[in-house]
Amino acid sequence: LFVTVWFSWVGFTLYANRFDTDDVVFRIAKLVATGSIAGCAASASDAVGELAVPFAACYLGSRLVLLALYLRAWRHVQEARPTVGVYLLTVSLSAALWAVSLVVPSPARYVLWAIAVLVSAAGPVLATLRSDKVPLQIEHLPERFGLLVILVLGEAVASAARGVHDASWASISIGVGVLAFAVVAGVWWIYFDITAPSSARELQDVGEEEDAKSSSDADSHVSDARHDLFVYGHLPLTFGIVLAGVG
């Protein structure tokens, strides 16, 4: 379920990285998508049980919003159509799978979910292989992904606080809570003092290589792979932080 919601976040983040217009239409679309994901959160506790259909319906809503945004980009940013076309295909296929899952019984429903997530995961990789005039805005990626790391770190702190509360402030729970907070603080320090700056420098180097246009096609694919490594590398990172918070 975490991976599913994570790819929803990545989908909107990569769209905003390229096509953020910050107008009324875009803001309303983001609010509707946020509401859809809030519905996923409200049903996540039993998403593989009685609340599977509400979870899938809410997630489908977010897919449809993203699809509408890419249709808008297709219409207005003609030079980006090679990239937008990839997302139109993958988001449409993903949305169709989520829609079908609404009427398919369990456990087959969850197989469709998994396939839909894999389709969503393939979108950004395939898009970076297309050649057009609207690449990722390299300077903004570290900031956007850093915000997600802050969010999951906050959830880990909240989990430690809930643990102390639920244990009625027992002495051992206080010790564990303090230790848990120290672990989260250490992860925060390492990420923003070492990982984020080094990633930003690496991505900046990729951007300069692409601007120079002096590399071969093979070199371009290496640059694309570094984009993908930065994006997908945050999945195990944030998932690990969430699991640590649960612990």
Side-chain angles (χ1 to χ4, degrees), residues 90-123:
T90 55
V91 176
S92 297
L93 180 56
S94 174
L97 290 168
W98 281 99
V100 172
S101 77
L102 295 174
V103 296
V104 172
S106 303
R109 168 184 290 128
Y110 310 127
V111 175
L112 292 178
W113 290 8
I115 297 174
V117 170
L118 290 175
V119 171
S120 297

Side-chain angles (χ1 to χ4, degrees), residues 165-191:
H165 172 270
D166 293 345
S168 301
W169 285 75
S171 57
I172 186 64
S173 73
I174 295 174
V176 172
V178 171
L179 178 60
F181 182 84
V183 170
V184 174
V187 174
W188 170 79
W189 201 298
I190 291 171
Y191 180 84

Side-chain angles (χ1 to χ4, degrees), residues 11 14-20 66-93 123-124 126-136:
L14 295 183
Y15 175 89
N17 181 268
R18 288 187 175 99
F19 306 113
D20 186 352
L66 186 60
L67 179 61
L69 286 173
Y70 272 113
L71 286 172
R72 189 187 192 209
W74 173 274
R75 177 184 178 186
H76 294 288
V77 191
Q78 295 185 6
E79 64 270 22
R81 286 183 174 179
T83 294
V84 174
V86 172
Y87 282 108
L88 286 176
L89 176 62
T90 55
V91 176
S92 297
L93 180 56
L126 296 175
T128 56
L129 298 178
R130 302 303 299 268
S131 176
D132 58 39
K133 298 179 180 178
V134 188
L136 289 171

